């Protein structure tokens, strides 16, 4: 499963259950984020032990994108069958503030900054 555009790329590695986000996500509103949300749902439907969201190369994510990821994390928390790890980069300013909020939504979420 992969989504490629001029501005961003999202790749899923089934061997490690890792979804990698690369580039800049500046989509306008929930409707434009639907394909990404559907990809994440497909990953979760397989019910791996742990899903890793690798955001280390995601330069920008707007509020609609943060909202989409927040809803995904809340949905995972409700099922309580899958762990989530989020990998971020200390060198990308928005991640330091925003990614910590995901732990408020799901306290068991593993947050790693590289």
């Amino acid at each position: 499963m992969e989504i490629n555009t001029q501005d961003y790329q999202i790749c899923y590695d089934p061997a490690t259950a890792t979804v990698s986000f690369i580039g800049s996500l500046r989509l306008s509103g929930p409707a434009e984020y639907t394909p990404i949300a559907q990809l994440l749902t497909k990953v979760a439907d397989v019910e791996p032990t742990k899903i890793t969201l690798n955001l280390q190369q995601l330069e920008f994510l707007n509020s609609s994108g943060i909202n989409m990821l927040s809803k995904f994390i809340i949905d995972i928390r409700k099922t309580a069958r899958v762990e989530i790890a989020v990998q971020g980069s200390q060198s990308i300013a928005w991640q330091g503030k925003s990614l910590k909020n995901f732990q408020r939504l799901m306290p068991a979420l593993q947050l790693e900054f590289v």
Side-chain angles (χ1 to χ4, degrees), residues 3-97:
I3 299 173
N4 286 302
T5 74
Q6 187 175 340
D7 298 321
Y8 65 89
Q9 179 181 11
I10 298 168
C11 312
Y12 172 59
D13 179 1
T16 60
T18 299
V19 182
S20 297
F21 294 73
I22 301 164
S24 187
L25 278 168
R26 301 172 193 267
L27 306 179
S28 56
E32 288 193 25
Y33 278 99
T34 299
I36 300 169
Q38 289 173 338
L39 184 148
L40 291 171
T41 300
K42 285 179 186 172
V43 171
D45 286 347
V46 177
E47 290 192 9
T49 307
K50 176 173 153 184
I51 296 170
T52 301
L53 302 177
N54 180 346
L55 307 179
Q56 293 173 17
Q57 296 180 62
L58 189 62
E59 298 293 329
F60 183 82
L61 182 65
N62 66 6
S63 59
S64 294
I66 291 171
N67 194 22
M68 179 263 314
L69 286 178
S70 297
K71 286 180 180 177
F72 173 71
I73 290 167
I74 290 167
D75 289 345
I76 293 294
R77 183 190 72 200
K78 287 178 186 174
T79 64
R81 291 191 295 265
V82 179
E83 291 179 32
I84 292 191
V86 175
Q87 297 173 334
S89 172
Q90 290 179 325
S91 62
I92 300 175
W94 72 268
Q95 292 190 9
K97 295 177 182 176

Side-chain angles (χ1 to χ4, degrees), residues 96-108:
K97 295 177 182 176
S98 298
L99 297 185
K100 289 178 183 150
N101 291 329
F102 293 151
Q103 281 186 310
R104 291 189 183 122
L105 301 174
M106 183 177 184

